[in-house]
Amino acid sequence: MIFNQQIECLSPGPLKDIQSQRLCGTVNYIYKNSRVFQKKLAQAEVSCQQIKTIDDIVHLPFTVKDDLRESYPFGIFSAPMNNIRELHISSGTTGNPIVVGYAKEDIDLWADVIARSLCCAGVVPGDMIQIAYGYGLFTGGLGLHYGSQLLGLTVIPCSSGQTNRQLKIMQDFKPKVLACTPSYAIYMAETAVELAIDPKQSSWKIGIFGAEPWSEAMRQEIEKRWDMDAIDIYGLSEIIGPGVACECHCKDGLHVPSDVFYPEVIDPKTLKTLEQGARGELVVTTLTKVGMPLIRYRTRDIVTINYEKCACGRTSPRISKVLGRTDDMIVVRGINVFPTQIEEVLLKINGTEPHYQIIVDRQKGMDQLEILVELSESSFSDEVRKLQSFEHRIAKAIESVLSIGVKVRLVEPKSIERSEGKSKRVIDKRSL
Amino acid sequence: MKITQISVFLENKKGRLYDAMRLLGEKGIDIKTLSIADNEDFGVLRMIVDRPEESLELLKANHFVASLTDIVAVEVGDHPGGLAKVLKVLDENRINIEYMYAFVEKCADKAILVFRFDDLDKAIAALTKNNIRVVGQKDIVNL
């Protein structure tokens, strides 16, 4: 089923007209309402009159994460606060987190793009969905919730965790759809086996997985273990949360609802727009948002784009799975982790060197974060107990910043491999 | 009456103890005794050597984290109840032992134990008062 047949299968000409009209509207709107964008447009010497069609988008300046951080908490919003209905927070590199404000229209938009995504994945009204994404400030849970309600599903808002209960609910209620991070799907399969539940007999037939990068190999693993269709959903809080793109049953790229989220792929160095098929950074412009519209937002995610009509009938452009990042961000259990966050913590603790290495591994389907820290002269003790409590103290400090559990291991000075004097910060052992 | 111990941080990986030993061996440094305290990730090597300062310089120059610590070496009768007698004195004087280990070599019929106390001076005073011999740096070097 296609949720919005008219829009999702629109031929390129009329689609372009809609995009052009909406882009002009958005540019005028943000110029009128957001000081941040007034300044940005002035600096780029762009006037609203210059933007006539969607092709003129290349004249607009980019928006980056720092623009949001510098205007913390609400400075980049275009709508007045009394029109903001909901706030979400995404983890940032250092300092202020990213705050995202949704007006009533944005919540409706969110539900709409999620409903489109669910239909893309093969879900139909009347199906039952178990949402095991975290509910709360994280956009995963509520985003899927709103869209499922709009589509007319029976929602089980489990949130994440409590795996035994998740499995019991699956066995007793027999939901057809599961939504969670791909690593949690693997973890639940492991737990099921331990509990003598055969994952292949599960009621879940469609999995909507996202919030962290995962590979084709991981898809095959999940599909084999659970005997389900594993569908990739993409999103980022700054744009709306999940629902920025989603695969259809063809599993040949993620459909972007380009009538509302206009995608571009650019060369992150030259900033020039790239041709279909070339790897580059995904840049997204929101065309209808009210609370916090963004123009040409640089996602830092590396993808390719395909404008060909899909076998499913949709004409919307498709992006590849995320192939990498332009920065050194890693996503662990759905949480964004930047090495600089860890560095900041270490610099604040006396007795550690800012030489560290982050090792990400996946054990039993769960991401594990181990941080190697070079021990300095001043914090050395000949008592193992004191060294252990030092490790513990570092781990607690890092956990309070990242909000996820880490293991800290002290290592000898100069033992972390360096190239050109710089340590290699992240070793990702996960077979994504 | 205190003795200088050298402590070295060793990551739990192949060849690190050998690396440290090789360095000391090449310089002709005599290791009188040693012990290793460890957990799953790392170990702390504690040694009594004939030239602690020189050993420290050498290890540091080779990127080891090392430090010098004062410890107390105590002569203990090498017979049943020998250690108990020493521990009784410590217990009565409320002195905590952080860690302890033994010397391989002996003085006549006495064993020598190395102690790290929370309060070294108090420990030395209590032991001496109870006629328990505290061994000095010179005695150790001449073992």
Side-chain angles (χ1 to χ4, degrees), chain A residues 288-362:
Chain A
T288 59
K289 272 184 81 182
V290 174
M292 192 183 119
L294 293 180
I295 50 166
R296 305 193 89 195
Y297 184 70
R298 295 184 60 179
T299 64
R300 304 278 172 191
D301 287 321
I302 303 287
V303 299
T304 62
I305 196 161
N306 178 3
Y307 294 97
E308 306 294 328
K309 182 178 173 180
C310 182
C312 74
R314 292 177 183 85
T315 52
S316 44
R318 283 167 286 158
I319 55 167
S320 64
K321 274 177 166 288
V322 173
L323 305 168
R325 294 277 303 172
T326 62
D327 57 17
D328 49 8
M329 186 183 89
I330 42 174
V331 183
V332 180
R333 286 179 243 156
I335 293 192
N336 298 347
V337 173
F338 293 88
T340 44
Q341 285 176 296
I342 290 162
E343 190 167 303
E344 272 214 346
V345 173
L346 292 178
L347 287 168
K348 279 184 202 153
I349 297 176
N350 292 329
T352 55
E353 301 284 339
H355 296 299
Y356 59 90
Q357 195 162 51
I358 302 165
I359 299 178
V360 199
D361 207 349
R362 188 165 280 166

Side-chain angles (χ1 to χ4, degrees), chain A residues 62-86:
Chain A
F62 292 100
T63 310
V64 294
K65 207 164 219 172
D66 276 338
D67 292 318
L68 278 72
R69 196 172 299 116
E70 283 161 15
S71 60
Y72 177 87
F74 311 137
I76 204 158
F77 291 7
S78 289
M81 276 315 285
N82 59 2
N83 282 348
I84 299 292
R85 291 285 165 274
E86 192 164 317

Side-chain angles (χ1 to χ4, degrees), chain B residues 28-83:
Chain B
I29 288 165
D30 188 10
I31 299 164
K32 297 296 181 181
T33 188
L34 63 78
S35 87
I36 295 177
D38 67 342
N39 70 6
E40 57 182 4
D41 298 331
F42 59 79
V44 177
L45 167 66
R46 301 165 184 147
M47 294 179 286
I48 309 292
V49 298
D50 56 349
R51 284 171 283 158
E53 278 82 9
E54 191 186 329
S55 306
L56 182 69
E57 291 308 308
L58 182 65
L59 289 165
K60 278 190 180 179
N62 285 281
H63 306 310
F64 279 95
V65 178
S67 67
L68 299 180
T69 318
D70 285 337
I71 52 96
V72 177
V74 179
E75 233 180 44
V76 180
D78 192 8
H79 51 74
L83 177 58

